[in-house]
Amino acid sequence: MAGIHRHKFKTIDNTGFGPNSSVEGGRLMNKDGSVNLKKRGLPFWTRTSIFHTLLRMKRSHFLMMILLFYTCVNVFFAVIYFTIGVTHLMGVDGNVSLGYQFMEAFFFSSQTLTTVGYGHVAPSGMMANAVASVESLIGILVFALVTGLMYGRFSRPKAYLLFSNNVLIAPYKEGKGLMYRIASYKNNHLTDVEANLTMALHTKENGKTVTRFYPLPLEMSKINSLALSWTIVHHINEESPLYNLSKEDLDDAKMELITSIKAFDDHFSNIVQQRTSYTNEQLIFGARFLPMFERSQTGTSTILELNKINAHEPVTLTEKIHSNNVRNIEVKP
Amino acid sequence: MAGIHRHKFKTIDNTGFGPNSSVEGGRLMNKDGSVNLKKRGLPFWTRTSIFHTLLRMKRSHFLMMILLFYTCVNVFFAVIYFTIGVTHLMGVDGNVSLGYQFMEAFFFSSQTLTTVGYGHVAPSGMMANAVASVESLIGILVFALVTGLMYGRFSRPKAYLLFSNNVLIAPYKEGKGLMYRIASYKNNHLTDVEANLTMALHTKENGKTVTRFYPLPLEMSKINSLALSWTIVHHINEESPLYNLSKEDLDDAKMELITSIKAFDDHFSNIVQQRTSYTNEQLIFGARFLPMFERSQTGTSTILELNKINAHEPVTLTEKIHSNNVRNIEVKP
Amino acid sequence: MAGIHRHKFKTIDNTGFGPNSSVEGGRLMNKDGSVNLKKRGLPFWTRTSIFHTLLRMKRSHFLMMILLFYTCVNVFFAVIYFTIGVTHLMGVDGNVSLGYQFMEAFFFSSQTLTTVGYGHVAPSGMMANAVASVESLIGILVFALVTGLMYGRFSRPKAYLLFSNNVLIAPYKEGKGLMYRIASYKNNHLTDVEANLTMALHTKENGKTVTRFYPLPLEMSKINSLALSWTIVHHINEESPLYNLSKEDLDDAKMELITSIKAFDDHFSNIVQQRTSYTNEQLIFGARFLPMFERSQTGTSTILELNKINAHEPVTLTEKIHSNNVRNIEVKP
Amino acid sequence: MAGIHRHKFKTIDNTGFGPNSSVEGGRLMNKDGSVNLKKRGLPFWTRTSIFHTLLRMKRSHFLMMILLFYTCVNVFFAVIYFTIGVTHLMGVDGNVSLGYQFMEAFFFSSQTLTTVGYGHVAPSGMMANAVASVESLIGILVFALVTGLMYGRFSRPKAYLLFSNNVLIAPYKEGKGLMYRIASYKNNHLTDVEANLTMALHTKENGKTVTRFYPLPLEMSKINSLALSWTIVHHINEESPLYNLSKEDLDDAKMELITSIKAFDDHFSNIVQQRTSYTNEQLIFGARFLPMFERSQTGTSTILELNKINAHEPVTLTEKIHSNNVRNIEVKP
């Protein structure tokens, strides 16, 4: 397995991942671009940004949380009003069952919290009035918060990029290239799009597993505008750390490709960023991407077929670099 | 048509448009700067950003949508209250006609949704109270959303640039220049304004229509501040991909000029961007822009006349580059 | 006045101001950094950003506008309710005077618009209910807008820089320097602060008044952090367009100094920018700035005295550059 | 103490701190990154940004302020209603004690301010109605403001960086290095992280205390991503201003290390910045950091132990640079 030591190739140690952070069976970066890392040693609330958690939560969960919160707060205040006594809620008949009284207290609470305040039930006396006064303040503060969260959720700059599921080793120029493909899938428009690709190899050095990071230079690392899809290409030539590495080599080294895309989104007028990583299992030797756009039937515009982002076909790789030792790699996709 | 193959000129392939995306009769970029492209292959809701659609919608449409939504939600809840029975809405006379009862339910719903809650009609009983409680929550959430959208609509950084309708080929230095003009038309102020110009030519190569992109270098590509108008100039000299091309050549090649302006807006304290494209039909050979500003009557300030952004007059182009073969191009604007 | 033609000095034409924009008696940039320019030729509403006008309006004016708007809307709806008839407003006594009836309609309107909805007056019948329903929707939308405007006003990134009132020609190194001073006057913190200085001279060339722009290089054009005040210095040496120009020369040429400061504000986490211009009348020959900070009495921190931003004292300028022709300029401040 | 004059080393004067700002016993920058500086000479409200003060206030203080404000406004309006007379508040019994009447006015005010408006108490007559109308407007404006503040507080881009408490002089390469450590402690993700380190020494020059600033170059000043912790290292070699300085030298010169970290936060999609400073008392000669991450028990991810950010152990420093005079520094941590 000596071949995997890529001594002559430049490594970088400014990836933010340490050389010793590698773990058996784990990846460095998850598919969604988050780091495969847990934090510990500080209280949960200190090491968690509530705002961001609520911002990044799935929409359905977010709505559930609001509903749950609404119910809990109302129950909480209903208990207080109930304890004070429903006789201090004008309009509630004191002769009904306790359950019914609690229900009235609950709905009075909800009318206060949302500031609807119909008034058919209204607080009377110092205590009930004071509690209602505080509850309506809380209502306004909470919904101020919710307004901010709603806006934050919607306006959070996101790249909305679709990555191909696989990285292909395809014929490129006289030799081979490593290729993956991106497209923006929403009605936003990205300009000044930059791509960056780093390969992590977990190698044994002096009996210790060490993670080495190799930058993989791209044939084109910046485009002016991401109108169509963009196939990002690293040329596997003699300068490439991937040169002469076989699928087995890469599997052994648990190769991981870490890529980040940075762009200017002109809807948000903001810089957006999206990251992902590919493991060795997502690498296909000998395949090339199929086109993912076509002319519209009227012929006046182009159609980008987003479902074809990963469409590829097998292809035979023939290496002929400089030399006389042409080798064929049989590929069974 | 061999002349249109501009072999000696540099082409770029980082425009984000592919070489094969050209279509008969279609342009690459629309006048409003959006890409002439449709996306397909993902569900509508996945490939659409609702927030941005609502943000970019015309103001009248946006208000119509809100009114429609308001009506629908009220009808929806009115149906529920009506189904529960208006006897559970205190204050509604049970003896009136069904239509009138429904109307009362409808208006009760609107009073709940907006949290006005007059209270002359008020829910009674578990069901009606629960529905009203949920509706007032929905009301608050929806209007939280609307608040965010309103703010988003107003605060969205925009360049507010006016482009001239035409691109002129005008006398410039010893030869000719391609010129268009921009001005900011609102009371915002742009600084560090950068312009970028690319020409697309659709040429036949080996029987296949191919789109080639040529960067057109600008005499000045960045200005400190866009106080007045800015005439952006590409000098058509021997280095220019436009050198020696006639109007017919450009018409044949369905020339398209793609330009983007990037600036720092100091009202938003944000980077703003605006794009547009010019087709061959918007190109005028032999014309020059007329001034669009004048002194104020009091003489203490300058007046920028925005309606003159496209004002130009015909002019005879005389080329005399280096050489002895001076040629005149007769222009009938 | 030939001396003012500074032929050997570099001029720039990327300032965004044209060479012909100069006007008798007017300045290019106002003291507040806005351009001395009027726009015309498009409808008022098209060339005005309402949002930014409301954002930049003085606080008192903004509050007056809201109060005015609130009153007008209430009058408008009061007229409608009054026209429908106060008999459709339950709780209003139909036997009172018309003026009193209108007043009741007015206050009912305000209770609807703000969604207070006490309910002692409540709409009855189709018409009154429909109008109230629309009014409460309008109320919510308008106050959504106001929420956005309030937030926009507060959160608008601003540099909060104080400029000295005068530009001084002070002794500097072996010769003279042109100096002005800035300080941030709020509890914000600016980092990566960049300054830029351009001089405009209005000169007669071939009988026509032409404006020429000269960049004035700064001894230090960027500082890491604007903790204390910053005295920005242009060294008037042989390379300087100001070299050998007298006060009279600059007065004749209606010299204007245009400066812009760009910085990163770490409270807003945003880039902020502030501009100003100095006319020849603000230029003082032979003066130097006095310190504007001192130790605190406890000796543990520094005190920045913002009221001393312009504090300066007269000083005799003695030029001795290279040479034997030392000249003294008598200065009477 | 001559040795502390580091004549041969480059100093910088673009730190924003002046050479004379040094004070006995005070530091230049506080631990939280704010400048140890007071501003004076302008009215308090002019030199204070209310918005930012409210934004940066501790959460508990912020809530206290809101509660206080709410109470004060209600007392204020209660006094007005009380002065007008509770007979103009329908629903309040005029025969109760004055204290009870005031209480009713107070709670009516709170119901108006929050727009709950139950209506069991409602204004009657011109005066009471007008005041209530204004109060509900004020309520809406104030809570619009609070909404903005809430959003501003949550969405303010912050770096959430943890700095080690100490700066260590540790063995590094053939010699020594100055090291400190950072980690992000929330669930945000920083990319393009840049560090900057400056040393301030207060030295006596010609009998005057002068502050000199020395840039300390870092072995790596930028990393792509701050996934784990980052130990920032300045190599103390012959090029370093720290070369050959002992702990006593640095104590005498009241050494202060000023560092700032700038990064792109991809949750906020914004640049964030955090600063801190270390005094000579936080400097430990002869210690090295202990690892602060480990494998998870399942072995599939890495665990970052935030409480170990400052974990270090003593170590003997052996200098052997070039030469034969190896010296040992005994360290008693």
Side-chain angles (χ1 to χ4, degrees), chain C residues 164-168 181 282 284-291 308-315 333:
Chain C
S164 60
N165 293 330
N166 294 108
V167 173
L168 310 183
R181 191 153 70 169
Q282 291 170 280
I284 298 179
F285 271 73
R288 69 175 159 220
F289 285 115
L290 296 168
K308 294 191 182 165
I309 183 82
N310 199 38
H312 60 270
E313 59 179 13
V315 65

Side-chain angles (χ1 to χ4, degrees), chain A residues 12-18 20-27 29 33-42 45-53 55-56 81 90 108 111-126 129-134 136-137 140-145 147-149 151-152 155-158 196 198 209 262 270-273 275, chain D residues 59 62-63 66-67 70-71 74 91 100 103-104 106-108 110-111 113-121 139 142-144 146-148 150-151 153-158 160 162 183-192 220 222-230 264-271 292-308:
Chain A
I12 46 174
D13 48 5
N14 64 351
T15 59
F17 296 99
N20 310 311
S21 69
S22 69
V23 285
E24 297 286 323
R27 58 201 290 178
M29 185 181 279
S34 64
V35 177
N36 186 4
L37 177 80
K38 285 191 179 61
K39 288 177 184 177
R40 211 167 56 184
L42 282 182
W45 294 111
T46 307
R47 66 185 150 83
T48 307
S49 165
I50 311 165
F51 181 66
H52 285 112
T53 306
L55 233 57
R56 295 166 68 91
Y81 294 120
M90 291 185 287
F108 170 71
Q111 288 156 26
T112 301
L113 197 66
T114 60
T115 78
V116 163
Y118 298 113
H120 69 295
V121 178
S124 91
M126 185 71 184
N129 261 306
V131 173
S133 171
V134 168
S136 59
L137 176 64
I140 279 182
L141 296 185
V142 165
F143 291 114
L145 243 166
T147 301
L149 282 170
Y151 178 67
S155 68
R156 193 161 69 91
K158 275 185 68 178
N196 186 285
T198 303
T209 299
K262 212 171 189 172
N270 211 328
I271 288 169
V272 290
Q273 203 182 41
R275 293 186 304 276
Chain D
R59 195 173 303 172
F62 182 67
L63 292 176
I66 288 179
L67 202 60
Y70 183 59
T71 312
N74 282 333
Y100 198 84
M103 191 200 76
E104 290 276 19
F106 180 90
F107 288 124
F108 170 70
S110 89
Q111 288 158 26
L113 197 67
T114 59
T115 78
V116 163
Y118 297 114
H120 68 294
V121 178
V142 165
F143 291 115
V146 169
T147 302
M150 288 266 188
Y151 178 67
R153 283 179 69 90
F154 270 102
S155 68
R156 192 162 70 92
K158 275 184 68 178
Y160 296 118
L162 214 57
S184 87
Y185 65 91
K186 290 252 181 191
N187 55 344
N188 61 343
H189 188 96
L190 301 180
T191 56
D192 293 338
M220 200 190 310
K222 189 169 182 176
I223 59 173
N224 289 340
S225 158
L226 183 59
L228 301 166
S229 63
W230 180 21
F264 182 81
D265 179 301
D266 71 347
H267 286 203
F268 293 106
S269 275
N270 211 327
I271 287 169
M292 63 180 287
F293 50 85
E294 59 172 29
R295 290 188 197 182
S296 70
Q297 291 191 327
T298 59
T300 53
S301 71
T302 306
I303 293 184
L304 186 65
E305 294 171 294
L306 296 165
N307 53 338
K308 293 191 182 165

